[in-house]
């Protein structure tokens, strides 16, 4: 386990305000969790962004998916390849960007994934 698969993004206060407003329109009653970050930035909840972008807990593609218990844990359900993991990573990142304009960064160092990352680009 690598713990959280995506880092909580840091954005400017103006960007956080834009995303909060968008969240109020798209998911009423589910406020965007925000926390003070370093250097005056705002830390957003990557888990919330993932779940509100169409990738809820339990979401998956074949042998790889998001844990049923935590939205930031990527799980191998049996037989997943590096390519499967990268494909899910890319899908989640794209959905979050398309919905919120935020680019999620992976938290773990992806050792041995160079060929799969190159294929996906």
């Amino acid at each position: 386990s690598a713990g959280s698969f995506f880092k909580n993004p840091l954005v400017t206060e103006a960007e956080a305000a834009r995303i909060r407003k968008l969240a109020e329109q798209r998911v009423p009653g589910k406020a965007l969790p925000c926390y003070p970050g370093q250097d005056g930035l705002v830390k957003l909840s990557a888990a919330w962004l993932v779940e509100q972008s169409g990738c809820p807990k339990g979401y998956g593609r074949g042998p790889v998916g998001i844990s049923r218990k935590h939205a930031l844990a990527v799980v191998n359900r049996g037989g997943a390849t590096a390519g499967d993991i990268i494909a899910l990573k890319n899908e989640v990142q794209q959905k979050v960007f398309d919905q919120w304009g935020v680019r999620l960064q992976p938290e773990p160092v992806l050792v041995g994934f160079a060929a799969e990352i190159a294929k996906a680009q």
Side-chain angles (χ1 to χ4, degrees):
S1 172
S4 295
F5 197 82
F6 294 106
K7 295 177 186 178
N8 289 319
L10 291 168
V11 299
T12 64
E13 181 57 52
E15 185 68 0
R18 179 193 68 78
I19 297 166
R20 276 190 213 105
K21 185 174 180 179
L22 192 57
E24 289 170 7
Q25 296 168 354
R26 291 189 178 163
V27 286
K30 291 193 177 184
L32 170 68
C34 298
Y35 310 94
Q38 60 194 31
D39 300 325
L41 295 174
V42 177
K43 185 182 289 191
L44 306 179
S45 168
W48 188 95
L49 293 167
V50 168
E51 288 196 273
Q52 302 309 316
S53 297
C55 300
K57 294 173 192 148
Y59 178 84
R61 295 279 181 218
V64 67
I66 295 173
S67 168
R68 288 179 174 84
K69 296 181 180 181
H70 196 293
L72 291 184
V74 172
V75 294
N76 180 342
R77 296 177 176 158
T81 66
D84 295 329
I85 294 167
I86 295 300
L88 182 68
K89 172 194 83 68
N90 291 346
E91 179 183 351
V92 170
Q93 285 175 307
Q94 191 62 53
K95 285 184 174 199
V96 169
F97 182 76
D98 291 347
Q99 287 289 317
W100 307 104
V102 175
R103 293 197 188 279
L104 292 181
Q105 299 300 318
E107 189 158 339
V109 175
L110 302 174
V111 176
F113 286 66
E116 296 304 324
I117 292 170
K119 282 185 210 175
Q121 293 180 1

